[in-house]
DNA sequence: CCCATAAACTTGAGCACTCAAGGAGATGGC
DNA sequence: GCCATCTCCTTGAGTGCTCAAGTTTATGGG
């Protein structure tokens, strides 16, 4: 098998393993999936903890449809609310509630803890994870334009 | 954000992008998904092109259920057949048909081509992809035991 | 030989995403 | 000011996986 195909398939496998570990920890402690967490995390980085659904989709590499469906349960459990735009009646903002902001902080702690365990010494040095990160960045994955 | 969490999230993003590119090429040219292809590829590596479903699941990092569901359409289109074991009536082998073997060869060519494009120079040197591969291997992803 | 336990597989329900279609509102050319 | 076109978002249908439960067959201890 070509080395590049091998690398690609390894990447797929590694991700599946990684997602399972995060999902297990996050859902056990906070009742959310990794996908939920990344959504909340992105929202947390936005000014005012608030974004248009379209921009959220773009930022997460999802379709608008995926965002609508992902947001629904988070609204239901009160971590996010829907807000209207005064100027444009088409847009529906997703906005972190104060509960959401608090819970996100806790989730973030367990996510960082999990990541630290996964990339634990002695197998992983700081340089290694930095290198991996840099290589992965080169692989893109910003936007949906990879089809 | 911690560097390790950052690396983990980048990995997830990179994989999503990668899967989309493979899916698009493979389904366009051969009517199969990347998941279908990896299943067939694994089967192709087995002696006789034939494996027990349980072992296939283990090798792919899926549940037995996932394998059952993944094989169904491949049997339907004649790439794989179901074979019984003479000794143990519980087991149902999945076996590549000769059509399957032929088609797999073609799929493999386009998969390698796609991988080559993704890891194309000048951004990617041979050392880079080897390094990435090595780092990903360290991340495991063999088996389902990561939960 | 019989039964308890275990292994291989399938199936129903659920989840998280996709695409395609559609509704509602904004915008620009005329 | 109107209408074609575009944007934002939601919804129905479909896909590909999961877990939990169930069926069938094998195995080993008494």
């Amino acid at each position: 098998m070509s080395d590049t195909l091998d690398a690609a398939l390894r990447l797929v496998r590694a991700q599946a393993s990684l997602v399972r570990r995060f999902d297990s920890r996050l859902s056990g402690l906070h009742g959310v999936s990794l996908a939920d967490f990344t959504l909340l995390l992105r929202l947390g980085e936005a000014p005012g903890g608030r974004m248009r659904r379209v921009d959220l989709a773009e930022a997460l590499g999802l379709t608008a449809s995926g965002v609508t469906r992902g947001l629904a349960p988070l609204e239901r459990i009160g971590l996010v609310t829907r807000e209207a735009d005064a100027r444009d009646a088409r847009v529906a903002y997703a906005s972190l509630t104060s509960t959401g902001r608090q819970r996100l902080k806790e989730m973030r702690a367990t996510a960082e803890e999990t990541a630290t365990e996964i990339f634990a010494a002695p197998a992983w040095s700081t340089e290694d994870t930095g290198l991996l990160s840099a290589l992965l960045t080169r692989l893109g994955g910003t936007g949906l334009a990879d089809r």
Side-chain angles (χ1 to χ4, degrees), chain A:
Chain A
M1 162 149 43
S2 76
D3 288 350
T4 49
L5 179 52
D6 184 64
L9 296 181
R10 274 181 212 286
L11 179 48
V12 173
R13 276 301 283 278
Q15 184 260 11
S17 159
L18 225 147
V19 168
R20 275 193 277 261
R21 295 172 75 155
F22 276 98
D23 272 346
S24 151
R25 289 288 288 278
L26 286 170
S27 90
L29 293 174
H30 308 287
V32 299
S33 68
L34 175 59
D36 293 332
F37 168 68
T38 49
L39 197 159
L40 294 170
L41 189 62
R42 187 65 197 77
L43 220 40
E45 287 166 359
R50 171 177 197 270
M51 273 202 256
R52 302 193 314 162
R53 279 146 145 81
V54 157
D55 298 332
L56 204 40
E58 163 68 23
L60 295 172
L62 296 179
T63 59
S65 176
V67 169
T68 295
R69 301 192 132 99
L71 242 21
L74 299 177
E75 290 173 13
R76 212 172 33 68
I77 61 177
L79 303 184
V80 165
T81 39
R82 182 191 195 77
E83 286 177 11
D85 184 318
R87 308 272 184 90
D88 189 337
R90 289 170 305 179
V91 345
Y93 286 94
S95 177
L96 270 182
T97 61
S98 58
T99 321
R101 210 179 284 273
Q102 174 55 36
R103 301 280 309 279
L104 172 57
K105 222 165 145 183
E106 302 160 9
M107 290 172 203
R108 193 175 172 133
T110 93
E112 298 197 339
E113 206 174 287
T114 304
T116 305
E117 284 169 23
I118 291 173
F119 294 103
W124 291 91
S125 70
T126 308
E127 294 76 41
D128 287 342
T129 66
L131 190 50
L132 177 62
S133 218
L135 291 168
L136 290 170
T137 304
R138 231 184 276 174
L139 231 27
T142 304
L144 282 177
D146 359 88
R147 25 197 78 175

